[in-house]
């Protein structure tokens, strides 16, 4: 994610209620999927990554073929 670790970009709030924000984590994940040309990928997420996958799957179940979430940090 932009702004985390050594990556460039603006750091987004690492909270589940901000996942769908404009320019936020869900948009970053969608851009990566599109850039890689993936069709119905299986996504594996841990902690906040699991929350991102779950929220995206709730909003549009066609994004992923399967979601594997390990210890998701998620609040609806």
């Amino acid at each position: 994610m932009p702004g985390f670790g050594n990556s460039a970009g603006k750091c987004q709030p690492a909270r589940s209620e901000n996942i769908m924000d404009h320019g936020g984590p869900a948009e970053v994940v969608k851009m990566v999927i599109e850039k890689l040309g993936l069709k119905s990928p299986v996504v594996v997420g841990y902690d906040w990554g699991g929350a991102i996958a779950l929220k995206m799957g709730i909003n549009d179940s066609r994004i992923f073929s399967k979601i594997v979430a390990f210890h998701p940090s998620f609040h609806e």
Side-chain angles (χ1 to χ4, degrees), residues 36-51:
L36 295 174
L38 304 175
K39 306 292 182 220
S40 289
V42 173
V43 68
V44 178
Y46 175 78
D47 195 26
W48 190 43

Side-chain angles (χ1 to χ4, degrees), residues 21-51:
D21 287 355
H22 176 69
E27 285 188 9
V28 171
V29 172
K30 279 185 172 182
M31 287 189 304
V32 170
I33 290 169
E34 289 170 5
K35 182 74 174 173
L36 295 174
L38 304 175
K39 306 292 182 220
S40 289
V42 173
V43 68
V44 178
Y46 175 78
D47 195 26
W48 190 43

